[in-house]
Amino acid sequence: MNISEELKKIPSLPGVYIMRDDNCIIYVGKAVNLHNRVRSYFQKSQNNPKTLQLAKNTTNFEYVVTDNESEALILENNLIKLHCPKYNIRLKDDKAYPYIKITRERLPRILYSSRRGKDKAKYYGPFVSKMHVRELLELIHRLWPLRRCSKVFPRDFEKTRPCLNHHIGQCKAPCNHLLNEKIYEGYLAEAEQFIQGKDTTVLSRLMQEMSSAAESMEYERAAEIRDTINALRLITEKQKAESGNEDRDIIALARENDEALMQIFFVRDGKLSGREHYMMAAAVDEMDSEILSAFIKQFYSEAAFIPKELVIVSPLAEQDLISSWLSSLTGRQVTITVPKTGEKRKLADLAQTNAELTIRQFGAHIKREAERNKNALHELSTTLDIPMPIRIEAYDISNIQGYESVGSMVVFENGKAKNSDYRKFKLRAVVGSDDYAGMEEVLTRRFIRYNSPQAEESFSKLPDVIFADGGKGQISAVEKALAAQNIVIPVCGMVKDDRHRTRGLLYKGEEVNLPRHSEGFKLVTRIQDEVHRFALEYHKKLRSDSQVRSVLDDIKGIGATRRRELLRHFKSIEAIRNADVTALAAAPSMNSKSAQEVYNFFRKGD
């Protein structure tokens, strides 16, 4: 692209501009006037270091015209979340934080969720403390008799008797029509209000129920309600502070090098009901107002609840525009204020103090982790005699008794797991427990996608080194797949000891023994554990909840009894595969016909 010529063609209209390098999108921005804004990046008078670097790396750009700046803001935010461009300020991956999930189904459930799904369920969070979420859920199920089972309605109405939760008083069995669905919806709405921090209504109802129980001389019931009220107060009154009776979020910012920490205090019904902190990746020369704007747009675009007011410590460059956008999301007025005095200012200062204290503690941890990762990568580079392995891809194959073979790909960049680039593969061409063929299939599919013009981001980059879980056979399978695509990348096998723990790396036919307490060895261990965990996690999703299947289930005439006896007699699928017809027929419950079926099944591809 001739950038100077293309700049002349840009219209003077509002919209979003997208900058690319040779491989991917590197920046997304919005503008009231696209012509002026995009041209400003390439002016000779430009002296901002980040802007100069961005312009230098931009090989082409495109733009989308919108009707107004508000539409541009929404589109910009969506594109940043979709592509995670290198030069945009972005909210770091929050998959480690838990959520409370309210399912979208008949008779909805309230559940713990480790991540925000792409379903139509409601999510509250993310929360920092998993323990706090579990405490909340336990209290919710004590206060409201909501179901926890995984039954599907209307299919499962009255299919079984009420479960144990019904008998201990924690569910009123709507599955057996022992509770009216309208009443159930009322319980759910009240529980949702409680999750939002609006506990006044719940406490009032419980106080009335306790009084009624005491008047009726149901003293045990009254004592139970009293204990529930105490538990509710214990959770909701943590970090309580008076601040009127409104819902508002207090947002503060602290910075250290290229890290920014956002601290939010959640005020519900005038009480400081909780706080969270989030890390942002931001360049040193980014202005605080830009970081605050980026955080608010990314965080509240997915938030389950947006309060009437956001209190911030310093003004935003786009304050009115963002306020208007938030109002459009909620259908009511949302204001953004920068208080100078009063209770709001005290809370803002408190949030700011907490943010600064947290980033000092967190920042020291980040520095230590970065140093450890740097040392680990340097050790791998020196030991293997390869360039510094910035991007490491690791692969594993998982199956149980040859059934549902799956492959996993995990990615570590700069020594840290990059969860967004993880990928799963359900094997298509491999029958049974052939890990070598499975590894070759997975790597072939991965690098065919790399060579595809429409390769998604996780497949668009080449790793500096590949780690395969296993030994020479797995390494050979990976190298065969790479050769077929004319790609040359160092390949190592991650080998384990007799106790199934990481022992070291196998490279160029020789075992590389890293010192057990070195950072390099610890990194290899983390990678091997992670790729194995990820493969098993996917495999569990594909297995039946009621029965662990085997490849033997696909053989004509082999039922549950014969499968069990074969496995007990031969100990493994591999031994069954290698047995002749006579040996198979000698196994308990087998005859010559079924033995021939098994023998033929494992040789049908020969």
Side-chain angles (χ1 to χ4, degrees):
M1 172 186 278
N2 187 328
I3 289 181
S4 60
E5 287 298 317
E6 292 300 320
L7 288 172
K8 299 174 184 177
K9 303 175 185 177
I10 302 175
S12 299
L13 295 170
V16 171
Y17 53 95
I18 302 162
M19 294 183 170
R20 301 174 180 269
D21 62 11
D22 291 330
N23 298 314
C24 61
I25 293 173
I26 58 174
Y27 187 75
V28 174
K30 66 165 182 60
V32 178
N33 186 316
L34 285 169
H35 182 82
N36 293 341
R37 182 70 179 124
V38 178
R39 284 174 61 89
S40 70
Y41 286 91
F42 302 94
Q43 291 176 352
K44 292 181 180 179
S45 59
Q46 181 61 251
N47 57 12
N48 182 288
K50 175 187 170 182
T51 306
L52 289 171
Q53 190 67 26
L54 173 60
K56 179 182 176 182
N57 291 331
T58 299
T59 56
N60 62 78
F61 63 83
E62 58 186 283
Y63 52 86
V64 179
V65 173
T66 60
D67 286 337
N68 52 58
E69 194 179 2
S70 293
E71 286 185 10
L73 185 147
I74 294 168
L75 179 58
E76 176 201 33
N77 194 41
N78 290 337
L79 290 174
I80 289 171
K81 286 190 293 182
L82 179 63
H83 298 290
C84 299
K86 177 179 178 181
Y87 290 98
N88 280 97
I89 304 169
R90 56 195 184 277
L91 183 61
K92 290 195 168 182
D93 196 334
D94 61 357
K95 290 180 181 175
Y97 296 128
Y99 291 81
I100 291 177
K101 174 181 179 180
I102 301 179
T103 61
R104 188 182 178 91
E105 56 187 331
R106 193 163 173 180
L107 301 176
R109 294 169 291 160
I110 299 181
L111 308 171
Y112 175 98
S113 178
S114 60
R115 64 187 65 201
R116 186 187 182 98
K118 294 183 179 179
D119 50 15
K120 295 182 180 180
K122 283 186 180 178
Y123 289 86
Y124 287 92
F127 300 89
V128 169
S129 170
K130 295 180 181 180
M131 184 178 297
H132 181 61
V133 174
R134 297 195 188 280
E135 282 179 0
L136 283 173
L137 288 174
E138 186 61 35
L139 185 56
I140 285 167
H141 288 294
R142 281 170 56 186
L143 289 168
W144 296 279
L146 302 172
R147 72 183 185 97
R148 306 189 203 186
C149 63
S150 57
K151 292 177 181 177
V152 178
F153 301 110
R155 185 193 71 189
D156 294 335
F157 275 128
E158 297 185 331
K159 284 282 184 73
T160 59
R161 290 178 295 177
C163 65
L164 179 62
N165 285 331
H166 172 70
H167 295 293
I168 63 175
Q170 291 197 357
C171 179
K172 292 193 176 180
C175 58
N176 279 258
H177 298 297
L178 299 181
L179 178 68
N180 182 278
E181 288 189 42
K182 288 290 183 185
I183 297 175
Y184 187 94
E185 289 173 6
Y187 288 148
L188 184 72
E190 204 172 64
E192 191 170 357
Q193 279 192 323
F194 169 66
I195 294 169
Q196 293 172 0
K198 300 176 180 178
D199 57 274
T200 307
T201 305
V202 181
L203 279 170
S204 177
R205 175 177 66 79
L206 289 173
M207 293 292 289
Q208 289 177 3
E209 287 183 11
M210 184 175 68
S211 298
S212 298
E215 288 173 5
S216 304
M217 293 187 289
E218 298 176 31
Y219 299 119
E220 288 187 9
R221 171 66 178 153
E224 287 178 5
I225 299 172
R226 179 203 62 205
D227 292 342
T228 300
I229 291 171
N230 290 338
L232 177 60
R233 283 175 171 162
L234 183 65
I235 286 180
T236 58
E237 292 186 2
K238 285 178 181 177
Q239 298 175 316
K240 182 186 289 187
E242 292 303 324
S243 179
N245 59 357
E246 296 292 332
D247 295 335
R248 60 173 60 93
D249 288 354
I250 319 294
I251 306 173
L253 162 68
R255 303 180 64 175
E256 186 165 312
N257 298 323
D258 60 350
E259 299 286 346
L261 182 138
M262 314 302 303
Q263 181 88 46
I264 310 185
F265 279 13
F266 302 106
V267 177
R268 301 293 179 262
D269 280 342
K271 291 176 295 193
L272 180 57
S273 61
R275 63 179 184 177
E276 306 282 1
H277 67 262
Y278 303 90
M279 296 303 296
M280 300 279 288
V284 176
D285 56 348
E286 299 282 3
M287 295 176 63
D288 287 358
S289 60
E290 293 177 312
I291 299 170
L292 269 170
S293 295
F295 172 75
I296 290 172
K297 287 186 285 187
Q298 293 176 59
F299 181 79
Y300 289 103
S301 66
E302 294 189 353
F305 175 73
I306 301 175
K308 292 182 179 179
E309 183 181 23
L310 303 186
V311 177
I312 56 178
V313 292
S314 57
L316 301 179
E318 305 170 317
Q319 195 158 304
D320 292 340
L321 177 63
I322 293 175
S323 177
S324 175
W325 170 65
L326 291 171
S327 300
S328 70
L329 290 180
T330 61
R332 55 175 165 72
Q333 183 64 37
V334 176
T335 58
I336 300 176
T337 58
V338 185
K340 302 296 182 184
T341 59
E343 191 64 36
K344 292 180 187 177
R345 186 67 218 183
K346 289 180 183 177
L347 279 172
D349 290 341
L350 180 62
Q352 182 66 41
T353 301
N354 275 270
E356 290 168 358
L357 289 171
T358 305
I359 200 167
R360 281 178 208 156
Q361 176 188 6
F362 214 56
H365 168 74
I366 291 168
K367 287 179 181 177
R368 288 195 300 270
E369 184 183 22
E371 189 63 28
R372 285 197 297 267
N373 290 335
K374 182 180 178 181
N375 291 338
L377 295 174
H378 180 73
E379 184 180 351
L380 290 177
S381 171
T382 303
T383 304
L384 300 175
D385 193 22
I386 61 174
M388 186 79 83
I390 303 302
R391 181 180 173 96
I392 299 172
E393 290 184 7
Y395 296 85
D396 189 20
I397 304 297
S398 176
N399 64 74
I400 291 184
Q401 307 297 0
Y403 176 71
E404 290 284 24
S405 291
V406 301
S408 66
M409 162 185 157
V410 304
V411 178
F412 277 63
E413 283 193 356
N414 294 309
K416 297 190 294 186
K418 189 178 183 183
N419 304 83
S420 60
D421 279 10
Y422 284 18
R423 288 297 178 268
K424 305 165 185 173
F425 301 82
K426 186 174 181 180
L427 299 191
R428 302 166 183 164
V430 177
V431 177
S433 54
D434 189 340
D435 286 357
Y436 303 155
M439 188 69 74
E440 183 181 349
E441 179 185 332
V442 167
L443 270 294
T444 298
R445 286 163 58 185
R446 185 263 184 265
F447 287 106
I448 284 176
R449 294 188 190 185
Y450 166 74
N451 286 318
S452 168
Q454 290 83 34
E456 59 182 282
E457 187 175 357
S458 59
F459 294 127
S460 66
K461 304 174 185 176
L462 286 178
D464 299 302
V465 65
I466 292 173
F467 287 175
D469 191 46
K472 292 181 179 179
Q474 282 82 359
I475 293 174
S476 178
V478 174
E479 290 176 339
K480 185 177 178 183
L482 290 172
Q485 300 298 318
N486 296 315
I487 295 172
V488 178
I489 297 172
V491 181
C492 296
M494 296 181 290
V495 291
K496 297 180 179 178
D497 60 20
D498 294 338
R499 298 175 67 181
H500 211 63
R501 298 178 306 184
T502 303
R503 188 175 73 211
L505 293 173
L506 189 64
Y507 183 55
K508 292 184 177 179
E510 297 182 3
E511 188 164 329
V512 178
N513 291 313
L514 299 163
R516 183 164 290 274
H517 297 292
S518 69
E519 295 300 337
F521 181 85
K522 291 175 183 176
L523 176 59
V524 172
T525 302
R526 287 199 301 275
I527 293 173
Q528 187 169 32
D529 290 345
E530 179 67 354
V531 72
H532 188 59
R533 177 202 65 78
F534 192 56
L536 286 178
E537 180 185 87
Y538 182 40
H539 196 270
K540 287 176 183 177
K541 289 182 179 180
L542 299 180
R543 296 206 311 261
S544 165
D545 291 335
S546 59
Q547 178 187 26
V548 177
R549 288 195 57 190
S550 162
V551 69
L552 300 178
D553 290 331
D554 296 327
I555 304 176
K556 183 180 177 181
I558 302 300
T561 301
R562 281 180 173 157
R563 183 193 67 192
R564 185 170 57 251
E565 293 297 342
L566 279 170
L567 290 171
R568 185 177 294 165
H569 182 76
F570 287 99
K571 308 300 183 187
S572 71
I573 290 290
E574 202 58 34
I576 297 171
R577 182 199 303 274
N578 295 329
D580 57 25
V581 175
T582 304
L584 291 167
S589 300
M590 294 292 289
N591 54 39
S592 58
K593 182 179 178 181
S594 59
Q596 191 65 50
E597 289 284 357
V598 174
Y599 184 83
N600 292 342
F601 176 82
F602 283 111
R603 287 155 186 80
K604 63 185 179 182
D606 295 349

